[in-house]
Amino acid sequence: MLSFNFTPGGQSYDHGDESLPQGHVKSSKSIENVSGGEESLSSEINFGDFLGEWDNTSLQITPGAVVCVEAEVKGDVKIATKTIVHPCAKILATVGPIVIGESNIIEELVIIENKSTEPLVIGKCNTFEVGATVYARAVGDNNVFETKSHVGENVIVSNGCVFGAGTRVTQPTSVVDNSVFSGDPLKHRIAGERPAAQTLQIDFLSRILPNYHHIKNPAKV
């Protein structure tokens, strides 16, 4: 069972045996890794003041994020600064909440959905390309989900991974850092370095998108 210790704003959500500083999320799970066998994964993602007072009732957008009104965002969702959500993307907190860190790019026709009662925490500097579908239990930093890639439930994505165009990763897996998936049948290798952050692209989209699309207002919507 994947468990999260959630302590935003001094409140406790599914709190375990140890307490974390304010604004930390800790996850742990024993799960089969991509090379077979059992692996115990424990990761801590720190969003600091971004988490703030999680009210569990609405969409919350931090100033500096750009979320187009044509995007479909449902349920308890919080989006950090400098994250870009394109038109026709879907972010669906169907059961549990979704927490999206800063400097992510979520392109058209992407679907990010949380079907679990546990929070889906997405780190920073991830790129979700057109038509990607992600139902993962957790996503770290600096990952790329290429066009029409698919990541199933019970998959934990760490850092610096690339899911190639059209690939499908569906088995319960803890994906190790810098993993690259490609082809059909699926191939897996470890890259020498993780993908670079899309800082210039985010700056460009932050200026351009508001000229052509209505943007959701920041803070509580």
Side-chain angles (χ1 to χ4, degrees), residues 125-192:
C125 301
N126 297 289
T127 300
F128 301 82
E129 296 184 357
V130 175
T133 55
V134 177
Y135 303 104
R137 298 298 297 275
V139 176
D141 303 334
N142 296 96
N143 300 290
V144 177
F145 302 84
E146 292 186 354
T147 301
K148 294 188 177 180
S149 59
H150 174 86
V151 177
E153 300 176 56
N154 297 318
V155 176
I156 298 175
V157 181
S158 55
N159 305 299
C161 300
V162 177
F163 297 82
T167 55
R168 296 181 61 84
V169 178
T170 58
Q171 296 300 314
T173 302
S174 67
V175 179
V176 298
D177 285 358
N178 296 3
S179 288
V180 178
F181 295 92
S182 61
D184 183 13
L186 190 67
K187 300 179 181 64
H188 172 253
R189 64 181 177 86
I190 303 297

Side-chain angles (χ1 to χ4, degrees), residues 3-221:
S3 63
F4 283 81
N5 289 324
F6 225 96
T7 58
Q11 302 179 45
S12 178
Y13 299 86
D14 194 20
H15 197 67
D17 293 333
E18 60 180 344
S19 124
L20 296 172
Q22 176 176 331
H24 283 62
V25 178
K26 186 172 182 180
S27 65
S28 61
K29 186 173 185 180
S30 179
I31 194 167
E32 184 180 359
N33 63 27
V34 292
S35 58
E38 288 289 317
E39 175 179 288
S40 178
L41 176 69
S42 179
S43 61
E44 182 176 324
I45 302 174
N46 179 14
F47 288 95
D49 294 335
F50 158 64
L51 282 169
E53 292 289 337
W54 181 260
D55 69 4
N56 244 18
T57 59
S58 64
L59 167 63
Q60 297 176 59
I61 301 172
T62 303
V66 175
V67 181
C68 296
V69 297
E70 299 94 334
E72 181 180 352
V73 185
K74 291 185 176 180
D76 301 328
V77 177
K78 195 163 188 180
I79 300 173
T81 188
K82 296 184 180 179
T83 283
I84 308 294
V85 182
H86 285 250
C88 301
K90 294 183 179 182
I91 303 173
L92 308 174
T94 306
V95 183
I98 297 176
V99 181
I100 300 177
E102 65 180 49
S103 301
N104 294 285
I105 300 176
I106 302 172
E107 295 183 350
E108 293 89 344
L109 303 178
V110 165
I111 299 175
I112 298 172
E113 185 172 1
N114 186 11
K115 300 180 180 180
S116 168
T117 57
E118 309 288 352
L120 167 54
V121 179
I122 295 173
K124 63 183 180 180
C125 301
N126 297 289
T127 300
F128 301 82
E129 296 184 357
V130 175
T133 55
V134 177
Y135 303 104
R137 298 298 297 275
V139 176
D141 303 334
N142 296 96
N143 300 290
V144 177
F145 302 84
E146 292 186 354
T147 301
K148 294 188 177 180
S149 59
H150 174 86
V151 177
E153 300 176 56
N154 297 318
V155 176
I156 298 175
V157 181
S158 55
N159 305 299
C161 300
V162 177
F163 297 82
T167 55
R168 296 181 61 84
V169 178
T170 58
Q171 296 300 314
T173 302
S174 67
V175 179
V176 298
D177 285 358
N178 296 3
S179 288
V180 178
F181 295 92
S182 61
D184 183 13
L186 190 67
K187 300 179 181 64
H188 172 253
R189 64 181 177 86
I190 303 297
E193 57 186 25
R194 63 185 57 178
Q198 298 294 312
T199 305
L200 294 178
Q201 180 73 352
I202 288 171
D203 290 343
F204 173 77
L205 292 170
S206 296
R207 295 194 308 269
I208 294 300
L209 283 177
N211 294 332
Y212 298 96
H213 299 276
H214 294 292
I215 304 301
K216 293 182 186 289
N217 291 327
K220 185 174 179 180
V221 178

